[in-house]
Amino acid sequence: MAMAMGNTEPNIYIYNIVIDAHCKDGYLDAAINILNEMKQKDIPPNIVTYNSIIDGFCKLGQWEKVKTLFSEMVNLTMYPDVRTFNILTDGLCKEGKVEDAEEVMKHMVKKGVEPNIITYSAIMDGYCLRGQVDKARRIFDIMIDKGIEPNIINYNILINGYCKKKKVDDAMQLFCEISQKGSKPNVVTYNTILQGLFKVGRIGHAKKFFAEMLSAGFIPDFYTHGIVLNGYFKYGLVEEALSLFNKLDGKRENNDIELYNVVINGLCNNGKLDEARAIFEKLSLIGLLPNARTYKKMIHGFCIEGLLDEANDMLRKMEENGYLANVFTYNVLVQGFLRCRKITKMTAFMKEMTGRGFSFDATTTELLVNVLRESPSVLDMILGLHSKIMK
């Protein structure tokens, strides 16, 4: 891929820009071709050139090519800088190879390259993604011991790790430390702790924390409202959920179909199908189109109430509007037929389901086995589909 700019030959700066753009877009072969062109033209690549290409291959998980480029750099007496090492640690952590990333960090220290806050953040995040929050905390403490002040991103990573492990008290303690250490929480911090509190069922604390967030002057975002609405519905606080939703409803910034999906799902799960249907039917009036999740939640709601004809009609409407049903949707409907003992309709629907290459999940299989125990004659009705069902 020869590069030229009129009568002017591109310099190292231009080459690096083009290579970086190709790498970010995933065109690594083109980036390597340009690197080779540079060498042919006696334009020596620099650390920026190699960092871009190494980053590209790390994102693709092509570690052999990363090793080759790394060796090539060293052979050119161009030793990796902190950005090179950060690219490696981040790539390894995203693949779950956090111990390897930590070894890279130890290696860079031996070579006189000090890890920075980005290095520590990547490894902390890697451990948290694996649920090893205690190891993430160890990295956090090492960072502080090295004299690097954690920023809000570091705190948020660790708080999220604690909340996922249901260690909400540890998350709250860390939250209290933030302002003492000269940093400030942000909306992400509040969202993470709110989700953690709801996850462990501490509803009173969640309400209080949400009120504190508002009084502190933070403006809740879409995720905040989704977390709070989900939490209220999960624990049967339907009136409080609807009160919050009614305050949001109609405001342009809250016209997001996913927020309505949360409410429709919550109402269906709490036996409020009529209210859910009213909100569903209102969507077109406010200029919102249902998406696949909206239809699936309504189908699930109809099935919970045993309204299987309505559920089937919603499935057809969903597909007419360009959203194909998936294996989850079909399983929900078959489960509805099984629970209501509508075996004839279920058999016809099973034929359609298996014809699309979908199989039963564990819940559907269990329900089917229970029906067969109670009514062995049902087996004759589905015998023709037996081999497909058992796949």
Side-chain angles (χ1 to χ4, degrees):
M1 181 184 204
M3 288 177 52
M5 300 175 63
N7 296 321
T8 306
E9 281 293 320
N11 56 22
I12 182 65
Y13 176 74
I14 300 298
Y15 272 113
N16 283 345
I17 290 173
V18 176
I19 285 175
D20 190 57
H22 279 311
C23 291
K24 281 185 168 63
D25 291 335
Y27 301 127
L28 275 300
D29 289 340
I32 291 293
N33 288 338
I34 296 171
L35 175 64
N36 292 333
E37 180 184 318
M38 290 173 67
K39 294 173 184 175
Q40 290 167 9
K41 293 186 176 182
D42 290 327
I43 300 174
N46 60 16
I47 191 70
V48 176
T49 322
Y50 279 98
N51 281 348
S52 294
I53 301 175
I54 287 172
D55 188 36
F57 281 118
C58 280
K59 284 183 168 63
L60 295 176
Q62 296 186 18
W63 296 105
E64 287 304 316
K65 290 187 177 179
V66 170
K67 288 178 185 176
T68 300
L69 287 162
F70 205 95
S71 298
E72 192 175 303
M73 284 174 62
V74 175
N75 290 337
L76 292 170
T77 64
M78 189 189 307
Y79 202 77
D81 61 6
V82 67
R83 171 156 167 72
T84 320
F85 284 115
N86 285 347
I87 289 167
L88 291 173
T89 53
D90 184 61
L92 288 166
C93 288
K94 280 184 169 60
E95 288 203 356
K97 300 173 180 177
V98 195
E99 286 85 2
D100 291 342
E102 222 180 317
E103 286 302 313
V104 169
M105 184 170 71
K106 290 174 184 175
H107 179 74
M108 65 190 285
V109 172
K110 286 179 184 176
K111 295 296 181 179
V113 181
E114 279 300 314
N116 61 15
I117 197 165
I118 297 171
T119 325
Y120 290 107
S121 295
I123 296 175
M124 282 174 59
D125 194 38
Y127 277 128
C128 284
L129 287 172
R130 291 200 334 197
Q132 295 174 302
V133 66
D134 291 338
K135 289 187 176 182
R137 181 62 196 240
R138 175 175 58 79
I139 298 297
F140 182 81
D141 292 337
I142 289 171
M143 181 177 72
I144 293 174
D145 290 343
K146 293 281 186 179
I148 299 174
E149 283 297 320
N151 59 24
I152 191 58
I153 295 172
N154 304 128
Y155 282 108
N156 286 347
I157 288 170
L158 204 49
I159 285 171
N160 186 46
Y162 280 130
C163 288
K164 282 185 174 178
K165 297 293 285 184
K166 298 185 179 181
K167 295 183 175 182
V168 183
D169 288 334
D170 290 326
M172 289 297 294
Q173 183 178 344
L174 201 57
F175 175 82
C176 294
E177 288 178 19
I178 293 176
S179 56
Q180 296 170 8
K181 301 290 185 180
S183 192
K184 289 183 180 179
N186 57 18
V187 173
V188 174
T189 323
Y190 280 97
N191 288 351
T192 305
I193 291 182
L194 274 171
Q195 194 159 36
L197 289 167
F198 279 119
K199 188 173 183 178
V200 298
R202 288 166 62 172
I203 315 304
H205 284 92
K207 287 183 185 179
K208 183 180 177 183
F209 194 72
F210 184 46
E212 287 176 4
M213 175 183 178
L214 298 177
S215 64
F218 287 93
I219 299 172
D221 60 13
F222 163 78
Y223 297 101
T224 318
H225 291 136
I227 289 164
V228 175
L229 287 169
N230 253 323
Y232 285 167
F233 280 122
K234 180 180 178 180
Y235 295 101
L237 304 177
V238 178
E239 295 305 317
E240 291 183 59
L242 287 177
S243 174
L244 173 59
F245 176 67
N246 289 332
K247 291 175 185 175
L248 304 173
D249 192 22
K251 293 182 180 179
R252 184 173 296 178
E253 64 270 22
N254 295 310
N255 265 7
D256 190 303
I257 189 61
E258 290 303 331
L259 195 66
Y260 287 83
N261 287 346
V262 169
V263 176
I264 287 170
N265 185 57
L267 289 169
C268 288
N269 288 339
N270 282 277
K272 304 285 185 180
L273 182 60
D274 289 340
E275 289 92 330
R277 194 191 318 221
I279 291 173
F280 179 85
E281 292 172 352
K282 177 186 173 183
L283 291 174
S284 59
L285 300 176
I286 60 175
L288 278 179
L289 293 175
N291 61 17
R293 283 166 56 83
T294 324
Y295 286 110
K296 289 169 187 174
K297 291 182 185 307
M298 285 302 304
I299 289 168
H300 183 60
F302 284 128
C303 287
I304 290 173
E305 297 297 321
L307 301 172
L308 301 175
D309 290 336
E310 287 88 340
N312 196 24
D313 289 343
M314 187 63 72
L315 173 65
R316 305 308 165 197
K317 188 174 182 180
M318 169 182 164
E319 297 201 317
E320 285 169 10
N321 285 302
Y323 298 107
L324 292 178
N326 60 13
V327 65
F328 170 78
T329 316
Y330 273 99
N331 271 289
V332 165
L333 272 158
V334 172
Q335 289 163 25
F337 286 123
L338 286 167
R339 287 190 179 100
C340 294
R341 297 298 193 267
K342 295 190 176 183
I343 306 302
T344 304
K345 287 187 176 181
M346 177 208 71
T347 306
F349 198 77
M350 282 167 49
K351 186 175 181 179
E352 178 182 330
M353 177 179 176
T354 53
R356 293 194 180 193
F358 297 141
S359 58
F360 290 169
D361 62 18
T363 302
T364 309
T365 303
E366 184 180 350
L367 284 169
L368 180 59
V369 169
N370 290 337
V371 169
L372 291 173
R373 280 200 192 105
E374 294 172 14
S375 307
S377 60
V378 170
L379 182 60
D380 295 333
M381 301 178 66
I382 61 174
L383 200 55
L385 297 169
H386 179 73
S387 60
K388 293 179 180 178
I389 292 169
M390 293 305 160
K391 285 183 180 179

